[in-house]
Amino acid sequence: MPDYVIETPPVTALPVANENGAFPVRRVYCIGRNYAAHAVEMGHDPDREPPFFFQKNPNNLDTSGVFPYPPHTSDVHHEAELAVYLKSGGTNIPLDEALDHVYGYGLSLDMTRRDLQGEMKKMGRPWEIGKAFERSAPAGPVHPVAAVGHLAEGSITLKVNGVTKQEGDLNQMIWKVPEMISYLSEYFELAAGDVILSGTPAGVGPVSPGDIMELTVDGLDTLRVTVE
């Protein structure tokens, strides 16, 4: 091992449900507009166009159950997502082998500084300032495939202060989990520790300090996050 000239940054790792181990995170890929109704509410045609992805940083994933309201924004939105955790990867992964690379699934929120994202869109600039800020991806534990199977259908629901804001079904994804993995592997070398946030159903909207968000997906635990 080399002698590093600064302190080694910590490895982001998420707890694994009902196990002592943790899942180390390498990269976080997020697919945009992957539910037709959400594409419509964001002003886009829901027809099946080629998928597009952006990235969050590994340490944006946060399991504390608290979301600190970020600076330089007055319009932070919730986006409820199913997270996919990979145990292996590669390039040009065949569609029929894609699920072999999945370690498990979990719940996550793609919190978005919508006003800043909108400004970047108008100027044709990258979205990171709206998407990849500190603790912008609240997350729950990882559930191994061995325990929950592969999740291709089932309700995904987000409530804010007990009121349902987002509701859909995983089978409404335009690009399914195997397709996302196969497509990404054509452009990136996927590897163990990679995470894919699989898109959000319609109903995204703002949160304020004091709000409580509750995300549920059939077969997984509820993720409860307080905005501070």
Side-chain angles (χ1 to χ4, degrees), residues 42-216:
M42 297 302 289
H44 297 276
D45 190 324
D47 287 345
R48 188 176 157 104
E49 59 183 12
F52 76 93
F53 293 84
F54 57 92
Q55 291 189 356
K56 285 183 180 276
N57 302 308
N59 63 1
N60 293 159
L61 291 166
D62 181 76
T63 60
S64 68
V66 173
F67 172 69
Y69 200 92
H72 300 294
T73 181
S74 60
D75 192 23
V76 176
H77 283 204
H78 55 73
E79 297 192 10
E81 313 237 351
L82 175 73
V84 183
Y85 296 90
L86 302 188
K87 63 182 179 182
S88 56
T91 57
N92 299 311
I93 296 172
L95 188 62
D96 60 358
E97 297 177 10
L99 290 181
D100 296 341
H101 297 277
V102 177
Y103 174 81
Y105 299 90
L107 303 178
S108 186
L109 291 163
D110 170 19
M111 302 303 294
T112 303
R113 291 193 280 208
R114 189 72 74 201
D115 45 1
L116 299 187
Q117 182 195 31
E119 291 175 11
M120 295 303 104
K121 285 182 177 181
K122 290 177 183 178
M123 294 186 285
R125 294 180 177 176
W127 294 359
E128 279 81 2
I129 197 168
K131 288 286 191 178
F133 54 92
E134 278 62 36
R135 298 170 71 175
S136 60
V142 181
H143 295 261
V145 169
V148 299
H150 286 292
L151 303 182
E153 60 183 4
S155 173
I156 176 171
T157 303
L158 179 79
K159 294 182 178 180
V160 179
N161 302 326
V163 179
T164 299
K165 297 293 186 178
Q166 292 186 259
E167 190 170 19
D169 194 289
L170 299 179
N171 64 16
Q172 296 169 343
M173 289 184 191
I174 299 170
W175 294 89
K176 312 305 183 185
V177 172
E179 293 174 313
M180 285 185 271
I181 293 171
S182 181
Y183 185 90
L184 273 171
S185 74
E186 294 179 12
Y187 295 89
F188 302 92
E189 184 173 359
L190 300 180
D194 286 348
V195 182
I196 302 172
L197 301 190
S198 59
T200 194
V204 301
V207 295
S208 301
D211 286 346
I212 297 174
M213 302 178 287
E214 292 180 294
L215 169 58
T216 58

